[in-house]
C-alpha cells in the first residue's frame, strides 16, 4: 500500500525529486528471461525527453538510464536477460540549474502543490517542485518500457500501445483525419495533420505570451486478449483510471465513449456483436474495450485530460507561508503544454497496468 | 491486492451475487469506539434501495442490514461501539424472482459483462448478472455509512459528503439553479428543480419506450482539512478515480474543472489565493480541492459519468456462447437510468476513500 | 494491508468474535471451475470442532458452514463450481453460553490478550476473548479447505498436507515410531502410538488439576513442485512463519532442522544431491524443502510451538482495569492443550500459503 | 504484494545482486521532518560490514551509502530532513572479485538456492549467489537505520533495539553472565564474556577446517508502549516472524519463551501482573512482550536460528544443471558463521517492523 508504488504483481516504485542527484524506479515482479538492454529503455525515454521542441521545457536532460540490477548476461546468452529479481533503473539529474528559489520558497504558486505539500508535511523541497515535479514521469516511462517488453514476451509481438493528443486548448482533432502515422510528423503527437498546424499556431502564441494550454491524451492498446481485469475493485478500467489520474496535472479520465456515454441512449451505447470469421466481433466500441471491468478483446481506449501548466508569466495572486498577500510570477523553463509529454507517460502507464493484469489473469485462471 | 477489496488502512471487501442467498461486506481497520447501530447503516441503504420510484428497478429488496461482528454493547456503554476488529455486514437477497434464464444463459447481452466474464472464467453465474450486478453496490453503501461515521469520529461533525445528478441523457443542470436542498424533492437527486421536471419527462418517455439514459453524478466533500492524500501513486484524486470508475456502468471520472480544464488557459485554471480571516483562501476551485494529489481544504469535487442501462427492450444483435448470430431483448426489472442509484454509491465511495486517507495521514504525519 | 486478511493473490479475510452471532471468512482470488460443496468444507471443520474428546473444549459448536457466494450450480454442471468471485463462508455461533462475565470484564487474565487489547483499543469485547478467541481458527480451517481443493485443481491429486503433534508438555515423540496412519487413532493427532499413551496420562492429569500443557505441531506438505516462493520478502518460509505465528498461542516456528540447525556443522546441514531415476534428489532434508525462500520439491516441513492454554483453575495474580491488585481463576470450557486443535489449523494455513504461492508463481513465471 | 518489499505503511523495497554494480533500498512512508544524514546510516552499516574480523567474510566492501532522494537541506534548517517522500539509498559494490564461476555456474551448491532459483526462473545470476547473496542485508540495515530514527522521532529517545548472539554451534551463553555491555568486546556480539572465549576457540577451529557453524540471535526491543500490533493477521509477532525468517539462512523464529513454552504448564507460562508504581507490571516475560499479537509494554524478545554457512571446503555430493553426478568444493571468502553478521540485520528488521506498527497504530487508534 505504499505511497510511491503502483501495480500488484508487476509492481514498480519510483523515487527522486526534480533537483536531487538522480531519480529512479524499481520494477518488481517482471517475468524472467526477457532480453533487456539499457537502449530498449532509452528509446522510450527519448520520446518524453525535455528539450525536444520549443513546446516542451528547455531544461537539458539527457535522461540516460542505467540498469543497476535484475538482469544478467551469461556467456551462454546473447544479451542481458531479466532474472526475475527487481530491476533498478537510475537516471541522473544533470541540468538542475542553480538559481534563486527564495521566491518559490516562501510563496505558494497557484495551481501547484506548494500549499498542499506544506499542509501535509509541514515542510517541502521547493526546488523545481521537488517530488511533485513532472520529472518523476521519466521513471514511469522507463518502467513502462520494461512493461512493454514483458507484454510482448507474454502475449507476442501482436500487441501495441500508442498514445496521441486529441485536443489542445479546446481545439479537438477531426476524427475523420485520424492517422496514427501522423503522430511522428509534428511535435504534438497529433494524429490529424490539419489540427497539428492549428495547434502549432495557438500554442506558439500562448508560449510567447507566457501562458499555457491544457490537452487531452488518448491511449490505445491493441491486440490484447479478452479476459484481462477482474470484477469490482480489480477492474481493468478502475486501474487505468487510477494510473492516468496519477499523472501530473491530470484532472479527468474516461474509457471509450466516456463522458459522452451519459448523453447516449441504451440503444446507441451498447455495442452489438456478430460472428465474423468464426468468432464474435463487436460492431462498435463505445465500451472502449472493457465490459464489467474485463477486456473484451477490442481496442482498449482511454483518454485523460491534463490541465494547462500552472507555471505562467502573468502575475497571480497568492500568499506567503508567513500569511501575507502577495503576487507571483513563475519564471523557469516550463512546458507551455505539459500534455505533450503526457503522451508517452500515458502509454507507459497503460503498459504497466496491462502487464500487471496479464500476470494476475495467469495467476487466477492459469 | 485482492480483486474484491478496496482501501489501504480503512479497507473493505465485498462479496455476493445478484441471485445468491445474500451479499455483504467486511470492513477492516475501522477505528475503535464509534457508536454503530444497524439503523445508522440502514438509513444510507434506504437511499439506494430498489423500488423507490418508477425510475429505478422494481425489484423489491428491503436491503435490511445485519451487523455480524466488530461491535460490542457493554453494560457500561449507551450503545454498540466498534471494537477495532472487522465489521461484517450482511444483506439477504429476498426478491430473486425465479425465472427462466435460458435466454441470458446462452446469449451475450450487449453492453453487459456476459461475454467478458465467459472469456475470463470460462463460465459465469448468469442469473441477474451474477457478481457484475449493481446489487453489489448495496455492500458499498453499507460500508460507506461506516466510513462516514468514522470520518465524523476522527474529524468532527463539520464534514459532509453529498451527491447529486448534474446530467441525464445529455440534459445538464443549470448551475445558477443549483440548490442542495432540492435533491430530496425529486426522484433524481437533482439540485435544479427545473432540470428535474425536464428529466422526469424525458426519462419517463425512455422508460415507456423500453430504452434507457446515461447520467453524470457529482459528489462533493466539504469540511475536510488540507493535507489528505499523498504524492504520486497514493494520490487522493487517483484513489477517487479508481473508486468511482469501479462503480457499475461508470465510464469517466473527473476532478474539479476536469475535462473542461483542457480548454482553459493557465491563467483561467490556476486558483489564486488570498488571506481571508487570517488564513489562506482560494478564490476559485478549478482544482476540485486537490493539488498534487493532496487536499487543499476546499470542497473536494468529483464527477463520474454512467452509461445508459444496457438492459433495454429493443432487440439487439448478438451471438450465442455456441457461436451463432442471434438477437436479444433484455426483459427484467431494470433501472431506466442506473445513474440515479449511483448517487448514494458515489457518496459512499468518497467517504470510503477519505476515511482511508485520514488514517493514512495520521499514520505518516502523526 | 488489512489487519484481518492473509495472502496475496489467493487471499482471505476472517471476521467474527467468540460470542457474536456468527463468524466467517471471505476467500478472494480462488481459481474458477473448482467443484465446491459445503460438505467438502465441513469435513475439514469437523476435525477442528470443539467437543471431540475430553482434551478439547466442551463447548458444543456444530460449526456448520454455509456457502453464501462465489459458487454456481448450473443445470449443465454436476455440482456447484467456483466462479472466480469471492467465496463467503459463514459459521453460526450456537453455544455462546450465557454467563456472568463481570470477572473477566474487569480483570486482565494472565497470558491472555485482555491487557493488550485494552491498551490498544481502550475497550474490548471481553465475552470469551472476543476477537482473540481461538474460535477464529474455524474460519481459517474453512478457507484452508477451499485452498486444498484449489491446490489439487492446479497441481493434481498428488499433493497432500498433513499435520500432527510431535510434543506435548515437553514429551516428544520417538521419530522411529513415526507413522502417519496413527494420527487418527488417538485424540492428539499423535503419529507415535506409544507417545500417545503417555500424553493421554499426562494431559488427563493436567486437565483434572485445572492446569494445561503446550505442544509442538508439525505440518508436512508433500508432492509440491520445486520453484514455489520468491527471494527476499516473498519467501515461502517467511510466509509460512507469518502464517503459523498468527495462529492463537503460537510462540515459535521452524523449518526443517530449524533451531537444531544452529548446532550443526556446515557439512551436517547442507543437503547433498544425487541423480536418481533421471532427476536430482536430495539425500536428506535438513532444509525442510525450502532453499533461498523457494521450494525444492522435497517435503515442506514446518513446526510451530503452542504455549499452554492460559485459562487455568489455579488462582493467578493480576490487576483490574481500575488499577487494583487482585487474583483470578479462569473458569470455562477450555482446552487443556490448545495445541491439539492447532493441528488442522496449521494444515489449513500451509494450504493457504501454498495456494497463494502456486498462483504467484503462475503469475510471474507463466 | 511485491516480492522484494516489506512493511505496510513504513515500507521498503530492496534491489541488487552480489556482483552487480550496486545494491540499494527505497524506503517509502517515512514520517517527514527527521534529521537524516548519510553518516547516521553509515554507522549502522559499519556494524554489518564484511571484513571486520577473521570470523566474517574477507570481501572488502566499504559499503558506503549515498542518499539519493527524500531529504532536503533548507537554509532554514540545521541539516537534511526527510520530506515524507521516498528515500532512495544506494551502496556500490566494489570488491566483486573477478573470478572463474564456471564451477558454480553448472553445479548446484548444497544448502544454497542454486537449484531452487533454476527451478523457478529457468536461469540465474550465479555470480556470488546473485540476488540470494547475504549482501542484500546491507540494504536492510540501511533501511533499519532510517526506521530507528523514525522510531525515536515518534516515540522519543527512550526506545532501543539491541541484538546479540546467544548460541554458536550448539554452545549457548549462560544467562547468568548476560551483560549487554559485553557485546562490543568480542567479534561475536556475545553478551557472555566466558562464552565468547569458547566461541572464539570453536569457530577458529571450524574456520581453519573450512567448515562452518550455525547460531541463534536474540533481538530485544525496549521502551516500546503497549498497544502495537493487531489481532489475527496483522499481529506484531507474525510480522516479526516473517521479518526474521526472511533473513538469509534463517530456519527458525521464536518469541519470548518460544519453543520452550511447549514444555511449560499454564501456571509457569502465563505472566502474572501486579500494580507497581501506579501501573500494571508483569512479573515475568514468558510472552516476550507480545500477547494476542499486541505489545504489552514489556521488552519485545525475538530469537532466530541461522543455519551454518553452506559454503564449505569439504567436497560435497551434488549434480550439474545438465543432470550429472559430481562433487563440489565451495571456495570463496565466506563467513564461517553467517549468524554473526545476522545480529545487526535482526536489529534492523525489528526496527522496521516496529516503525510500521507504530504508524499503523496511529492510523487506526489516532
Amino acid at each position: 500500500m505504499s505511497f510511491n508504488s503502483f501495480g500488484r504483481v508487476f509492481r514498480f516504485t519510483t523515487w527522486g525529486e526534480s533537483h536531487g542527484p538522480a531519480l529512479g524506479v524499481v520494477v518488481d515482479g517482471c517475468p524472467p528471461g526477457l532480453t533487456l538492454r539499457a537502449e530498449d529503455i532509452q528509446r522510450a525515454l527519448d520520446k518524453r525527453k525535455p528539450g525536444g521542441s520549443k513546446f516542451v521545457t528547455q531544461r537539458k536532460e539527457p535522461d540516460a538510464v542505467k540498469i543497476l540490477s535484475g538482469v544478467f548476461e551469461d556467456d551462454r546468452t546473447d544479451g542481458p536477460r531479466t532474472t526475475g529479481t527487481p530491476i533498478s533503473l537510475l537516471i541522473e539529474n544533470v541540468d538542475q540549474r542553480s538559481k534563486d528559489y527564495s521566491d518559490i520558497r516562501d510563496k505558494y504558486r497557484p495551481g501547484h502543490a506548494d500549499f498542499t505539500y506544506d499542509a501535509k508535511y509541514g515542510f517541502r523541497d521547493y526546488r523545481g517542485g521537488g517530488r511533485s515535479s513532472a520529472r518523476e514521469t521519466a521513471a514511469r516511462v522507463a518502467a513502462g518500457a520494461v512493461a512493454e517488453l514483458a507484454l510482448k514476451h507474454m502475449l507476442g509481438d501482436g500487441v501495441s500501445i500508442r498514445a496521441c493528443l486529441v485536443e489542445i486548448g479546446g481545439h479537438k482533432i477531426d476524427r475523420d483525419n485520424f492517422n496514427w502515422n501522423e503522430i511522428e510528423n509534428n511535435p504534438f503527437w497529433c494524429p490529424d495533420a490539419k489540427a497539428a498546424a492549428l495547434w502549432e499556431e495557438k500554442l506558439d502564441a500562448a508560449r510567447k505570451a507566457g501562458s499555457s494550454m491544457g490537452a487531452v491524451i488518448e491511449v490505445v492498446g491493441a491486440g490484447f486478449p479478452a479476459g484481462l481485469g477482474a470484477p469490482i475493485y480489480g477492474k481493468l478500467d478502475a486501474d487505468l483510471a487510477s494510473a492516468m489520474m496519477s499523472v501530473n496535472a491530470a484532472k479527468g479520465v474516461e474509457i471509450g465513449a466516456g463522458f459522452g456515454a451519459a448523453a447516449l441512449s441504451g440503444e446507441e451505447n451498447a455495442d452489438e456483436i456478430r460472428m465474423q470469421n468464426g468468432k464474435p466481433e463487436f460492431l462498435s466500441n463505445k465500451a472502449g474495450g472493457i465490459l464489467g471491468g474485463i477486456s473484451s478483446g477490442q481496442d482498449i481506449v482511454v483518454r485523460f485530460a491534463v490541465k494547462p501548466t500552472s507555471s505562467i508569466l502573468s502575475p497571480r495572486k497568492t500568499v506567503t507561508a508567513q500569511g501575507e498577500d502577495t503576487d507571483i510570477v513563475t519564471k523557469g523553463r516550463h512546458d507551455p503544454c505539459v500534455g505533450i509529454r503526457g503522451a508517452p507517460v500515458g502509454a507507459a502507464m497503460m503498459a504497466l497496468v496491462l502487464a500487471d493484469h496479464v500476470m494476475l489473469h495467469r495467476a487466477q485462471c492459469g
Side-chain angles (χ1 to χ4, degrees), chain A:
Chain A
M1 56 132 298
S2 359
F3 306 112
N4 292 280
S5 300
F6 192 88
R8 299 159 193 244
V9 205
F10 191 100
R11 184 170 169 91
F12 66 99
T13 302
T14 73
W15 55 269
E17 287 85 37
S18 176
H19 282 59
L23 57 89
V25 59
V26 182
V27 179
D28 197 6
C30 185
L34 310 183
T35 300
L36 181 69
R37 293 181 186 85
E39 60 252 41
D40 299 325
I41 301 169
Q42 197 62 52
R43 246 193 316 277
L45 278 169
D46 289 348
K47 291 192 184 176
R48 194 214 69 103
K49 202 165 65 174
S53 81
K54 64 184 168 187
F55 301 112
V56 296
T57 174
Q58 296 306 299
R59 182 167 164 170
K60 295 281 179 285
E61 285 292 355
D63 278 354
V65 69
K66 282 182 205 160
I67 303 178
L68 295 183
S69 70
V71 297
F72 179 52
E73 180 158 15
D74 196 349
D75 53 2
R76 289 175 296 190
T77 59
D78 57 348
R81 287 186 298 167
T82 58
T83 58
T85 62
I87 301 165
S88 176
L89 305 176
L90 183 133
I91 297 166
E92 283 177 42
N93 283 328
V94 171
D95 186 22
Q96 321 101 294
R97 196 168 291 184
S98 160
K99 56 162 269 190
D100 177 11
Y101 285 103
S102 54
D103 214 45
I104 296 176
R105 194 187 70 172
D106 290 321
K107 296 179 182 178
Y108 298 127
R109 293 168 299 163
H112 279 282
D114 301 350
F115 176 77
T116 55
Y117 266 59
D118 259 13
K120 182 169 197 72
Y121 301 115
F123 164 73
R124 75 194 146 91
D125 176 353
Y126 45 74
R127 300 164 306 162
R131 181 67 178 150
S132 72
S133 164
R135 269 198 71 63
E136 186 269 347
T137 59
R140 301 174 184 233
V141 169
V146 180
E148 201 184 322
L149 289 169
L151 284 168
K152 289 182 194 291
H153 179 77
M154 295 187 286
L155 299 177
D157 286 336
V159 300
S160 75
I161 294 171
R162 288 182 292 193
C164 62
L165 268 69
V166 296
E167 179 182 335
I168 282 188
H171 307 285
K172 301 187 188 209
I173 61 160
D174 180 343
R175 288 276 161 183
D176 292 338
N177 296 341
F178 197 109
N179 182 351
W180 278 114
N181 296 328
E182 276 302 322
I183 64 173
E184 306 275 356
N185 296 338
N186 60 70
F188 310 108
W189 310 107
C190 180
D192 169 356
K194 243 174 157 172
L198 179 70
W199 292 357
E200 174 134 25
E201 182 192 320
K202 297 287 184 187
L203 196 58
D204 208 33
R207 186 180 65 83
K208 284 175 182 159
S211 184
S212 63
M213 298 176 99
V216 176
I217 295 137
E218 182 166 304
V219 188
V220 179
F224 291 92
L228 304 177
I232 316 302
Y233 307 107
K235 282 181 163 161
L236 182 55
D237 37 3
D239 280 1
L240 286 167
S242 171
M244 300 307 168
M245 195 66 97
S246 77
V247 175
N248 303 54
K251 297 304 286 186
V253 185
E254 60 182 14
I255 310 286
F259 276 87
L264 300 177
S265 69
E267 290 77 8
E268 291 163 330
N269 181 70
D271 304 305
E272 294 182 293
I273 321 177
R274 275 284 174 258
M275 294 303 293
Q276 283 179 9
N277 306 317
K279 61 198 186 94
E281 292 282 351
F282 291 89
L283 306 182
S284 55
N285 191 11
K286 294 291 196 305
I290 303 175
L291 285 166
I294 299 173
S295 68
S296 68
Q298 289 190 283
D299 281 1
I300 298 166
V301 181
V302 182
R303 274 180 302 281
F304 63 105
V306 167
K307 68 183 183 184
T309 316
S310 296
S311 298
I312 48 178
L313 290 183
S314 314
R316 310 297 295 157
K317 293 176 192 161
T318 191
V319 300
T320 64
Q322 292 74 35
E324 289 174 1
D325 283 350
T326 183
D327 281 4
I328 190 166
V329 169
T330 316
K331 291 166 199 156
R333 297 162 294 167
H334 305 291
D335 299 84
C337 176
V338 77
I340 297 171
R341 292 203 287 144
V345 178
M349 293 309 292
M350 184 183 277
L352 289 157
V353 168
L354 283 168
D356 195 32
H357 275 279
V358 170
M359 292 172 73
L360 284 169
H361 183 70
R362 303 203 301 192
Q364 192 181 13
C365 301

